[in-house]
Amino acid sequence: QMFAFESESISVKVEGNGSDLILIHGFASTPDVWSGLTDKIGSDYRLHLIKIMGFAGSKAPTKQPESYLKTLRDEIARYIKEEKLDSPTLIGHSMGGLLSLLTASRETPRIGKVIVVDALPFYSLLFNPMATTEMVLPQVEAMEKQLLALDEQPFEQQVKASVSILTKQDDKKELLLKWSKSSDRKIYASYLKEVMSYDARPELGGVSCPVIVIHAYDEAMRVPQKRLHQLYTTAYAKLNGVSIKTISG
């Protein structure tokens, strides 16, 4: 089922019947990341699969907004209002997790629950627990320019290096590479810059619905599990009642 919701930034596909779950994929990805989940629970829930336009071969927006993340947040909120969804659960992976938090911070009375998968409210904390937006902005702006200037082959090599730590399955690595290569390069670079420099921690106080944060851990990360869990705990310190769970392996 496709709703008559019109937006340049997102499209929505709806499956199943039951309680409303809004699924938001991550950076340079597609709703296909949820395929295993939809096979298991699709018959018991009404799934609203958000596709972020410009990624993985989808048509990019014609206008560049002042903030891509805030535009997506507002469009997801508009979708909830226009379709009159009753206390939906937002489930977001990576960048989608950040978007779930941003949406809930502005639309708390309309949101029933948020489930965040592998996302911090400020992505750059992974590299520097003391990071600030001002500190990382010059670096990510330079990264944006570099990405836009890369030819296809060096871009592919750079993407291969990054996807190698995102999944253990070789076929999934090839799929992630395909999605990145078929993404609009301008969209790719702009979203990456914004995700790495956006600090949503000051906005967490606006979230009053229950939030569950799930993060992966594996020895290949070469970070002690306790240190990683503490990073998540500290990052979400301003979010009352948050539940943080580690998935090993």
Side-chain angles (χ1 to χ4, degrees):
Q1 179 184 0
M2 295 294 289
F3 277 117
F5 178 78
E6 294 186 3
S7 170
E8 271 208 332
S9 301
I10 62 172
S11 67
V12 188
K13 182 180 179 182
V14 182
E15 300 176 354
N17 295 285
S19 301
D20 291 304
L21 299 183
I22 298 176
L23 299 164
I24 311 171
H25 65 76
F27 176 76
S29 189
T30 82
D32 288 346
V33 297
W34 305 111
S35 59
L37 180 66
T38 57
D39 291 343
K40 291 180 180 179
I41 71 170
S43 60
D44 298 321
Y45 295 89
R46 185 162 65 149
L47 307 178
H48 304 260
L49 296 150
I50 303 285
K51 177 189 286 186
I52 300 171
M53 304 307 291
F55 287 140
S58 61
K59 184 180 179 180
T62 56
K63 298 178 182 178
Q64 181 175 349
E66 184 176 339
S67 167
Y68 281 102
L69 290 177
K70 290 180 180 178
T71 298
L72 289 179
R73 173 201 67 191
D74 293 345
E75 288 296 85
I76 294 168
R78 183 168 70 88
Y79 175 77
I80 293 169
K81 292 176 184 177
E82 289 192 7
E83 302 305 330
K84 299 180 173 60
L85 303 186
D86 183 22
S87 300
T89 294
L90 303 181
I91 305 180
H93 171 243
S94 191
M95 185 180 87
L98 176 59
L99 284 167
S100 297
L101 292 168
L102 294 177
T103 304
S105 71
R106 297 287 291 267
E107 302 291 330
T108 284
R110 296 180 180 270
I111 308 299
K113 182 188 294 184
V114 172
I115 301 175
V116 175
V117 184
D118 279 332
L120 290 165
F122 184 23
Y123 182 79
S124 287
L125 295 175
L126 281 172
F127 309 103
N128 180 1
M130 303 302 293
T132 64
T133 295
E134 292 74 17
M135 185 186 301
V136 303
L137 198 54
Q139 301 170 43
V140 297
E141 286 177 341
M143 185 186 305
E144 180 186 31
K145 291 179 180 178
Q146 180 195 34
L147 282 169
L148 291 173
L150 284 177
D151 292 331
E152 285 301 317
Q153 188 172 0
F155 176 73
E156 180 174 335
Q157 293 302 316
Q158 188 163 318
V159 174
K160 279 184 177 179
S162 63
V163 301
S164 66
I165 62 170
L166 297 180
T167 176
K168 293 183 173 184
Q169 297 172 271
D170 289 339
D171 60 329
K172 296 297 189 297
K173 291 176 184 177
E174 290 300 317
L175 185 59
L176 294 176
L177 177 61
K178 177 183 175 182
W179 287 348
S180 289
K181 288 175 63 178
S182 60
S183 295
D184 180 276
R185 184 74 69 83
K186 174 63 178 174
I187 291 288
Y188 187 101
S190 296
Y191 270 112
L192 186 61
K193 178 187 75 170
E194 194 166 345
V195 168
M196 292 191 70
S197 60
Y198 197 106
D199 186 355
R201 287 176 294 178
E203 299 171 59
L204 295 180
V207 181
S208 60
C209 63
V211 177
I212 298 172
V213 177
I214 302 169
H215 72 88
Y217 172 75
D218 192 90
E219 291 182 356
M221 292 178 176
R222 298 180 180 177
V223 177
Q225 183 173 346
K226 287 185 178 179
R227 186 188 300 173
L228 184 65
H229 191 71
Q230 184 59 47
L231 175 63
Y232 272 82
T233 302
T234 302
Y236 283 99
K238 293 183 179 180
L239 189 54
N240 293 327
V242 64
S243 172
I244 302 176
K245 300 180 180 182
T246 305
I247 306 298
S248 296

